[in-house]
Amino acid sequence: LKKQFTRKIYLHKKFDSFTFSVKSPLVSKINNATIIQIGDNKSAVALVNTSKHSYIIAVTSKDNSSFAELGFSISNWFNQN
């Protein structure tokens, strides 16, 4: 028997003048930044570029319930420093 796994993948890509954007929970509360991201229900990675900083957030967990708060906290720290 084969087991099938279903994962929700979040992508942000820009093609010429079209932008396809679905924010993963990790970056859902981050504004005023250019974000390149990929993630699913257990892990996420985002490259965040603001006018002041560029940084990467990478996280893995049993679920993504706290990813949004983590991303927001990291973003706030960079914005204040």
Side-chain angles (χ1 to χ4, degrees):
L1 296 172
K2 275 188 171 179
K3 289 185 179 181
Q4 291 185 340
F5 297 95
T6 304
R7 288 187 164 189
K8 186 182 284 186
I9 302 292
Y10 303 94
L11 297 171
H12 177 89
K13 293 184 178 182
K14 187 171 183 177
F15 298 99
D16 296 325
S17 62
F18 298 101
T19 300
F20 303 95
S21 180
V22 176
K23 285 189 171 184
S24 71
L26 180 63
V27 296
S28 63
K29 294 185 177 184
I30 299 175
N31 296 312
N32 300 322
T34 301
I35 301 168
I36 299 170
Q37 60 169 346
I38 189 166
D40 61 18
N41 292 330
K42 295 188 179 195
S43 61
V45 176
L47 171 62
V48 182
N49 186 19
T50 67
S51 60
K52 293 182 178 181
H53 303 286
S54 293
Y55 54 94
I56 295 173
I57 306 170
V59 64
T60 186
S61 181
K62 64 180 179 173
D63 63 44
N64 64 6
S65 61
S66 60
F67 283 11
E69 290 303 318
L70 174 67
F72 184 69
S73 296
I74 292 170
S75 175
N76 279 341
W77 186 88
F78 273 102
N79 289 336
Q80 293 173 3
N81 294 298

